[in-house]
Amino acid sequence: MAGICAAAFSLVAVIIRPFVGWWLDNGVRRAALVAGLVLMGLAPRVDVPKRKLDLRTIINRDSLPATVTMLIFMFTFGALENFVAIFASEASLPSGSLYFIVMSAMLLLVRVTLGKLVDQRGEALFVYTCNAAMLVALLLLALVPNTVTHVLSAVLAGYAFGGLEPSMQSMAVHTSTEKTRGSANSTFLRGYDIGYGLGGGIAGSLITGAGYPAMWATVSLACVASVLVYVAWARHSDTSFSKRLANR
């Protein structure tokens, strides 16, 4: 339960980050920056033993199927977090802060109510339904942007992030040993960050060249690609809960 709660609050922190950024930009940015620097200066120093760099300890091969599945999905999050607020403003929709608040509320609901289903039903349930939910969320923004679909998109996106990220992370680490669990986690989180960064960059280029509707529609294809990677590779790996359950 502690792990579930930690994952949930970590995801909520990521989602509400843009809302906090807007608040900081409205008059208290400098004070917050100064306070942050002071706190960093007061933080205790931790001595970490030096070790020789070894790629085998940095990239965990067993976690790669789940990592790549999540990396591709994260293209969608990179686009949403970076541009949904600007899109909402330009399209005269409710503020971007409302989108992130609704998304984070849905995320918490999913984590509290469905957190243990991965062990019971396997990760496939979340891979398929979460990618489908995100696909619809992005197409709503692309094709029928209005107040109702804006909020509905946030609900679907919250379910997608709240369900897929923890299920993929559980898949990435559940066969690891105590010695390799750290590298499995770090491999997964690096994939998460790479997908997020690439998604934002690609989305920005698409907006410049084709506009927001085309960008949302194009980025939604990442959901299809994520499912294809899972079906062709990840679900057959030894780290798959669904494969283990099917073989019982």
Side-chain angles (χ1 to χ4, degrees):
M1 181 60 69
I4 292 173
C5 292
F9 283 110
S10 174
L11 285 172
V12 170
V14 170
I15 288 174
I16 66 173
R17 179 172 56 194
F19 173 71
V20 175
W22 299 330
W23 177 74
L24 291 176
D25 199 41
N26 289 328
V28 295
R29 179 169 52 186
R30 292 182 180 177
L33 177 61
V34 171
L37 291 173
V38 171
L39 290 174
M40 288 176 61
L42 295 175
R45 181 177 179 180
V46 178
D47 293 324
V48 179
K50 295 182 179 180
R51 296 179 180 177
K52 186 177 180 180
L53 182 64
D54 187 348
L55 290 179
R56 291 173 297 180
T57 63
I58 296 176
I59 299 176
N60 186 293
R61 292 184 179 181
D62 291 338
S63 69
L64 285 177
T67 297
V68 175
T69 302
M70 191 67 197
L71 184 157
I72 297 171
F73 175 85
M74 284 302 296
F75 278 55
T76 64
F77 188 50
L80 275 175
E81 184 171 287
N82 284 288
F83 297 109
V84 75
I86 303 172
F87 170 71
S89 176
E90 294 185 2
S92 300
L93 296 171
S95 68
S97 60
L98 174 63
Y99 192 97
F100 292 117
I101 290 171
V102 172
M103 187 193 298
S104 60
M106 186 62 185
L107 182 152
L108 276 176
L109 179 64
V110 170
R111 294 302 296 125
V112 171
T113 58
L114 303 179
K116 295 184 179 180
L117 275 183
V118 175
D119 292 332
Q120 300 169 1
R121 302 283 298 277
E123 77 286 337
L125 171 68
F126 288 105
V127 173
Y128 300 140
T129 62
C130 292
N131 273 290
M134 180 56 71
L135 177 67
V136 174
L138 293 171
L139 291 179
L140 287 175
L141 295 177
L143 302 177
V144 282
N146 58 54
T147 300
V148 174
T149 57
H150 187 69
V151 174
L152 179 57
S153 173
V155 171
L156 292 170
Y159 168 74
F161 288 122
L164 189 60
E165 193 275 346
S167 63
M168 287 293 94
Q169 187 165 16
S170 295
M171 178 180 168
V173 305
H174 96 274
T175 61
S176 60
T177 64
E178 183 176 347
K179 183 177 180 180
T180 62
R181 190 169 296 120
S183 64
N185 264 314
S186 64
T187 298
F188 177 82
L189 293 175
R190 275 192 292 273
Y192 183 104
D193 290 338
I194 290 170
Y196 170 81
L198 289 175
I202 292 171
S205 298
L206 288 171
I207 292 169
T208 302
Y212 280 100
M215 182 275 286
W216 296 127
T218 302
V219 170
S220 72
L221 296 177
C223 299
V224 178
S226 179
V227 170
L228 290 177
V229 168
Y230 175 77
V231 170
W233 178 29
R235 73 172 179 175
H236 302 293
S237 72
D238 292 336
T239 58
S240 172
F241 288 95
S242 296
K243 177 183 177 181
R244 183 192 65 187
L245 292 171
N247 291 334
R248 281 183 176 178

